Each structure stands twice: as C-alpha cells, then as structure tokens.
Amino acid sequence: MEFSAAELTGELTIFDDFQLHLPINDASFRAHEAVNMAELDADIHAAEDEQPEPVLNK
C-alpha cells in the first residue's frame, strides 16, 4: 500500500498477518447476489486509474 501527504500525525503498526472473520453462519450475509468479477475488476482499476487486465472465465 502506498500513501503520501504533506504532513501526518498518528501511529503505524506493522503486522505479519491479517485475519478477516466473515459472518458465514448469517443467512442474510450468505444470500448475496453473485459477483460479476469482470465488472468488479474494471471498477477497481478505474478507482486506481489503471487499465484493467482481461478477466479469464474459469
């Protein structure tokens, strides 16, 4: 990750791993619509001002 600013205050914590716990036993969480990976990829690249790479269907 990269970030730049003229002046900052705060703390920086370095960690070796990151664990994300999702509510997989929650029916409303599991009932979400399927993700359109090509659209998601294009949106990420647009937000990062990059050209998207072609998405291969697997």
Side-chain angles (χ1 to χ4, degrees), residues 35-57:
V35 175
N36 179 329
M37 294 305 290
E39 185 177 323
L40 178 61
D41 186 60
D43 290 344
I44 290 169
H45 286 287
E48 295 175 349
D49 197 28
E50 299 175 0
Q51 294 298 315
E53 295 181 19
V55 176
L56 302 175
N57 292 329

Side-chain angles (χ1 to χ4, degrees), residues 12-58:
L12 175 65
T13 302
I14 298 173
F15 51 91
D16 293 328
D17 67 344
F18 177 78
Q19 295 182 15
L20 176 62
H21 298 272
L22 300 173
I24 60 173
N25 294 323
D26 182 338
S28 64
F29 174 79
R30 294 180 32 208
H32 63 278
E33 297 289 324
V35 175
N36 179 329
M37 294 305 290
E39 185 177 323
L40 178 61
D41 186 60
D43 290 344
I44 290 169
H45 286 287
E48 295 175 349
D49 197 28
E50 299 175 0
Q51 294 298 315
E53 295 181 19
V55 176
L56 302 175
N57 292 329
K58 294 182 179 182

